[in-house]
Amino acid sequence: MRVVIAGGHGQIALRLTKLLADAGHEVVGMVRNPDHEGDITAAGGQAAVLDLEQAGVAAVADVLSGADVAIFAAGAGPGSGKARKDTVDRGAAALFADAAEQAGVRRHLQVGSMGADRADSLTDDEVFTVYLKAKKAAEDDLKRRDLDWTILRPGGLTNDPGTGLVLLADKTGNGKISRDDVALVLAGLCDTPASIGRTLELVAGQTPVAEALKNL
């Protein structure tokens, strides 16, 4: 497979790049900072330097051309303000989906956020609320598209070593999950047709990832 990951320098994306590259797949990580190219290469991928807050659809579509899977794993990050929550977590996600449609890449994975389904009921204007609303808007936008999409909502992320044991379902309840295991699930979702058209939640559990994917 040829897989293009938006937000290629993120902690989950770098883990995912290594998993896919080690399995023999071609991986392209989109990054806005050229200083991050080396980290993508070290993980086994190729870097495409492109700022999703500034680029046009055609430029992103050029990177996606020939891909089998498009994965949106970008985010404004914990240190960013309200404005960038919207321009990255919503705006860049929509741009990436536009480009996938233009490039003819049907399989589309998007990393969402646990709690996004309650975003519309929140009135507090704190940064985290803006983040959840941006994630929900990005999900709603993707669901309206004629793409083979899957939205994955991980629980609270940790840097603990992965166990390979998860709970993956339409609803899981609150919980935590290691970034290692999120990457492992994303790698498996690339070729799991049963996940198409579904929003899935993911937390640590007792089921091996391969079995959890098989049971969808």
Side-chain angles (χ1 to χ4, degrees), residues 188-206:
L189 285 172
C190 289
D191 191 26
T192 303
S195 69
I196 291 172
R198 295 177 65 178
T199 300
L200 300 168
E201 296 184 348
L202 176 67
V203 295
Q206 301 299 320

Side-chain angles (χ1 to χ4, degrees), residues 74-109:
S80 58
K82 296 174 184 177
R84 292 200 69 232
K85 299 301 183 191
D86 183 70
T87 57
V88 177
D89 292 282
R90 181 203 57 79
L95 173 69
F96 192 63
D98 284 341
E101 289 178 329
Q102 184 167 311
V105 183
R106 291 203 56 82
R107 187 67 177 119
H108 199 101
L109 305 180

Side-chain angles (χ1 to χ4, degrees), residues 120-206:
D120 290 341
S121 67
L122 300 175
T123 56
D124 192 350
D125 198 32
E126 295 300 320
V127 171
F128 188 68
T129 301
V130 175
Y131 164 77
L132 284 180
K133 289 186 174 182
K135 283 293 189 185
K136 178 63 163 52
E139 290 184 4
D140 290 344
D141 173 81
L142 183 59
K143 289 175 182 178
R144 289 191 290 265
R145 297 176 184 268
D146 181 24
L147 292 169
D148 294 335
W149 57 266
T150 300
I151 295 164
L152 182 67
R153 294 173 172 174
L157 296 171
T158 76
N159 286 325
D160 297 336
T163 65
L165 300 173
V166 301
L167 175 59
L168 177 68
D170 296 319
K171 293 292 181 183
T172 62
N174 292 330
K176 294 186 177 182
I177 184 76
S178 74
R179 289 179 171 85
D180 286 349
D181 287 332
V182 176
L184 193 59
V185 168
L186 283 169
L189 285 172
C190 289
D191 191 26
T192 303
S195 69
I196 291 172
R198 295 177 65 178
T199 300
L200 300 168
E201 296 184 348
L202 176 67
V203 295
Q206 301 299 320

